[in-house]
Amino acid sequence: QVQLVESGGGLVQPGGSLRLSCAASGISFSIYAMGWYRQAPGKQRELVAAITSGDSTNYADSVKGRFTISRDNAKNTVYLQMNSLKPEDTAVYYCNANIARIILWGQGTQVTVSS
């Protein structure tokens, strides 16, 4: 079974923290580039953070200094640590895996930042 399953979303107050997890199965995880995207209602899906098979990372300017992406190949899992959360971070967060002509998506997990 090939799938990406996100978890860890929820309701958080501004300034709070949350850690998202994405567990992959059915793929050779270590050779895939992984990413986190988010989509708010009425807006385009945007890249939040990405990590290559070689562990280099890239972040959207809006989350630099606040979010950290990491991967644990032994656990076939990619994480997104989100700190200093803002209401503007509210969105459905999606896990992505890609290599060559293959691209996979998880089902998404809701993150709501509100007081």
Side-chain angles (χ1 to χ4, degrees):
Q1 182 177 196
V2 177
Q3 62 177 355
L4 305 177
V5 181
E6 301 96 332
S7 62
L11 175 63
V12 198
Q13 289 188 295
S17 297
L18 214 54
R19 189 177 80 154
L20 305 183
S21 298
C22 172
S25 61
I27 64 171
S28 297
F29 181 81
S30 64
I31 66 173
Y32 278 75
M34 303 296 298
W36 286 97
Y37 291 72
R38 67 186 181 188
Q39 186 168 27
K43 292 191 174 183
Q44 296 291 129
R45 195 124 109 191
E46 65 174 346
L47 175 67
V48 176
I51 185 166
T52 69
S53 60
D55 270 8
S56 62
T57 58
N58 292 296
Y59 298 91
D61 288 341
S62 60
V63 307
K64 284 181 179 176
R66 300 189 298 121
F67 291 9
T68 302
I69 188 171
S70 62
R71 66 192 297 161
D72 187 338
N73 290 338
K75 296 180 179 178
N76 286 358
T77 301
V78 62
Y79 304 95
L80 184 67
Q81 178 65 48
M82 305 184 294
N83 299 324
S84 301
L85 283 161
K86 305 174 180 179
E88 310 90 80
D89 296 318
T90 296
V92 176
Y93 284 70
Y94 297 90
C95 180
N96 162 274
N98 76 279
I99 183 170
R101 299 159 299 281
I102 301 172
I103 184 164
L104 305 168
W105 292 96
Q107 82 287 357
T109 186
Q110 177 71 48
V111 171
T112 302
V113 185
S114 176
S115 58

